Amino acid sequence: MDRTAQLTARVTEREIAYDPPAAYTSLHVRAAEVLEANWTGSSTVPSRSLYPHQWSWDSAFIAIGLRHLSPLRAQTELETLLAAQWGDGRVPHIVFNPSVPLDAYFPSPDFWRSSTAGRAAGAPRTVQTSGIVQPPVHALAAWLVHCADPGLSRARGFLAGVYPRLAAWHRYLLHRRDLGGGGLVSVVHPWEQGMDNSPCWDAPLARVTPAPARSFRRADLDHGAAEDRPTDLDYGRYVRLASDYRDAGYADGDAEFAVEDPAFNALLIASEHALARIAGELGAPGTARHARAERLTAALAERLWDPASGMFLCRDLRGGGLVPERSVSGLVPLLLPGLARELVAALVRTLGGPHFGLGSDTRLVPSYDLLGEAFDPHRYWRGPAWFNTSWLLERGLRTHGDRERADALREAVLSLAGATGFAEYVDPYTGEACGATGFGWTAALTLDLLHRPVGHGVSPTGPGTFDRSDKGGDRA
């Protein structure tokens, strides 16, 4: 029996939280096959061709899905990523596989020079990484992975091993990245927020002098259509920001690009709640972490909420104000259980309104305002719908009791993931596949939704208990 067959057989042989409905058996097997094909032995690549290394927030989402196939492998996914953590606490956004040729991906290890340029910040010597970060989904992922098989987790000391690293990661963000002084975390590069070419970055990036086109070669265009990818001008500015940060020894504080982003901070808040639960599992009080999460939620509302837009906006710290662009990032705080009721209601109205059209014009949530001047249904984060953000919003809707919308969004994710071969992202109107297929987090989050029953509630981050889908699990 091959490895994929073993994994899928294990799911059906053992009692798990919820078996996927019979109608979805084929989808379940196909998603498992994608994760098996993308597995390297210690982690999972997002895409064998386009993204051949380990990515930080990808691995967190992938672990959330892997827990339904093999909790052991889900734990290993997170442990591998956290083993590359820097001494200052940052979790790098890429951990490079030394067996992959340098020209297979840009920027490659010889661009980042982590072990030399990052020496003062405590970059590891035995593995090459990037020097920037990505959204902190990791504590939430670790808690959900633990809940999939608490016995295995305790036997391996999984939470005891990752907790100090996760705490250091949050400490780095809260103390080194509060560049605006208002309690929220700032990103210093668009790649850190994960939505690389979002129109939210156009104004902050316009101040950045791009690196000359001849100074770098884009490997992504070897595997992806140019019309689906960021432009050469975007890339020139990305390279300039990254090289300046590298040449400054990856020191924080004087970044030319500094933006407080709602999704990045919402995921930190969700992970603070999860870290409090992890602390409780380990016998330590989590009260201070829950309180910190509540303070961060209040700061998020104070600094980034825009009543006129009915959603959260980015704050450009160097430009001096909110960025008047509506992106899916400003809807992600719906995930937070402590969000004020009136803000939840406004976000739900915005989600279904003309700017995002969920349930009327679109089935998945577009990454950018359908009515925005910069909207492009195929170009990366300038309009296409992504599966990870729809997964987050499905949980948010369910957290706040809106089960009808959550069920519809769940069904749309499952349908489009299967129809597109687990595409990286899709046209929000037509569902046409864009970017890579066989994409890691699309397959993983499909699995997670298959294991959550229609109509069921969930409390993913806040105080209280998880639903059964976060407690049961098979054993690896």
Side-chain angles (χ1 to χ4, degrees):
M1 182 182 291
D2 65 25
R3 175 70 174 164
T4 305
Q6 290 174 345
L7 284 172
T8 55
R10 183 178 299 132
V11 171
T12 59
E13 287 169 2
R14 300 185 180 183
E15 182 180 356
I16 55 175
Y18 289 99
D19 286 318
Y24 283 123
T25 299
S26 173
L27 183 61
H28 188 279
V29 171
R30 289 166 56 207
E33 288 172 345
V34 168
L35 295 180
E36 179 63 21
N38 291 3
W39 177 248
T40 69
S42 58
S43 64
T44 309
V45 299
S47 162
R48 281 288 182 183
S49 58
L50 194 54
Y51 306 105
H53 301 284
Q54 183 178 24
W55 260 259
S56 173
W57 75 325
D58 289 76
S59 276
F61 287 123
I62 286 167
I64 289 169
L66 270 177
R67 68 191 173 121
H68 300 294
L69 297 177
S70 169
L72 175 60
R73 194 146 99 183
Q75 292 174 28
T76 302
E77 183 82 36
L78 296 172
E79 290 165 343
T80 300
L81 176 69
L82 293 172
Q85 185 173 29
W86 290 29
D88 64 3
R90 80 182 75 192
V91 176
H93 97 295
I94 303 174
V95 181
F96 290 105
N97 182 341
S99 68
V100 173
L102 287 178
D103 63 358
Y105 181 80
F106 177 83
S108 54
D110 57 348
F111 173 89
W112 295 103
R113 304 172 207 160
S114 60
S115 59
T116 53
R119 185 179 297 122
R125 296 182 180 181
T126 57
V127 63
Q128 294 296 311
T129 75
S130 65
I132 59 175
V133 302
Q134 274 191 328
V137 199
H138 311 91
L140 175 59
W143 176 248
L144 294 176
V145 167
H146 163 79
C147 291
D149 192 334
L152 175 69
S153 175
R154 291 170 188 139
R156 294 188 68 245
F158 169 63
L159 291 182
V162 300
Y163 180 81
R165 291 183 177 274
L166 293 170
W169 168 219
H170 287 205
R171 192 160 52 246
Y172 165 78
L173 292 172
L174 292 165
H175 293 284
R176 299 285 295 277
R177 289 299 191 88
D178 181 9
L179 303 182
L184 296 183
V185 172
S186 296
V187 295
V188 299
H189 195 291
W191 287 337
E192 291 199 313
Q193 193 268 356
M195 303 179 190
D196 304 15
N197 67 334
S198 168
C200 296
W201 317 135
D202 289 357
L205 279 176
R207 299 188 295 269
V208 178
T209 302
R214 65 182 180 278
S215 67
F216 61 93
R217 177 189 173 276
R218 295 178 60 178
D220 62 317
L221 298 182
D222 295 341
H223 307 286
E227 61 269 21
D228 290 355
R229 306 289 300 165
T231 65
D232 286 342
L233 179 58
D234 289 333
Y235 247 83
R237 287 173 168 147
Y238 303 154
V239 171
R240 171 69 70 188
L241 283 174
S243 60
D244 286 352
Y245 192 42
R246 175 200 65 203
D247 294 345
Y250 297 109
D252 297 307
D254 297 321
E256 186 176 4
F257 179 100
V259 177
E260 293 174 351
D261 173 75
F264 194 102
N265 281 280
L267 291 170
L268 175 62
I269 294 166
S271 279
E272 270 292 303
H273 281 305
L275 208 53
R277 292 184 171 193
I278 293 172
E281 169 67 21
L282 297 174
T287 308
R289 292 199 176 277
H290 282 311
R292 182 181 295 118
E294 292 168 3
R295 290 196 300 272
L296 287 167
T297 302
L300 185 72
E302 179 182 349
R303 291 182 64 81
L304 303 186
W305 178 254
D306 181 53
S309 301
M311 62 186 300
F312 294 89
L313 302 179
C314 294
R315 180 175 292 278
D316 178 6
L317 296 181
R318 302 299 180 243
L322 294 177
V323 178
E325 299 286 0
R326 296 175 173 89
S327 93
V328 68
S329 173
L331 301 172
V332 170
L334 187 63
L335 181 71
L336 302 177
L339 205 60
R341 185 174 301 176
E342 60 271 21
L343 300 191
V344 170
L347 287 173
V348 172
R349 286 194 299 270
T350 300
L351 186 61
H355 294 284
F356 294 91
L358 186 67
S360 55
D361 297 323
T362 64
R363 292 183 66 197
L364 295 187
V365 186
S367 54
Y368 176 64
D369 184 356
L370 297 172
L371 305 180
E373 291 185 10
F375 175 78
D376 184 330
H378 280 210
R379 194 175 290 280
Y380 219 45
W381 289 97
R382 301 180 78 83
W386 289 69
F387 291 89
N388 66 324
T389 49
S390 285
W391 180 87
L392 290 168
L393 289 168
E394 190 270 354
R395 287 186 80 88
L397 289 167
R398 210 169 291 282
T399 295
H400 294 287
D402 196 336
R403 295 184 181 181
E404 183 176 352
R405 285 188 180 87
D407 288 343
L409 186 51
R410 171 188 179 273
E411 182 63 30
V413 168
L414 296 177
S415 174
L416 287 170
T420 60
F422 304 98
E424 186 177 2
Y425 47 99
V426 299
D427 182 309
Y429 288 121
T430 68
E432 177 187 350
C434 303
T437 54
F439 198 70
W441 75 28
T442 304
L445 298 177
T446 296
L447 282 171
D448 190 59
L449 291 178
L450 283 173
H451 284 265
R452 191 180 310 147
V454 174
H456 207 278
V458 61
S459 177
T461 53
T465 58
F466 275 81
D467 66 35
R468 286 180 55 209
S469 65
D470 293 328
K471 286 193 172 186
D474 62 320
R475 298 181 189 274

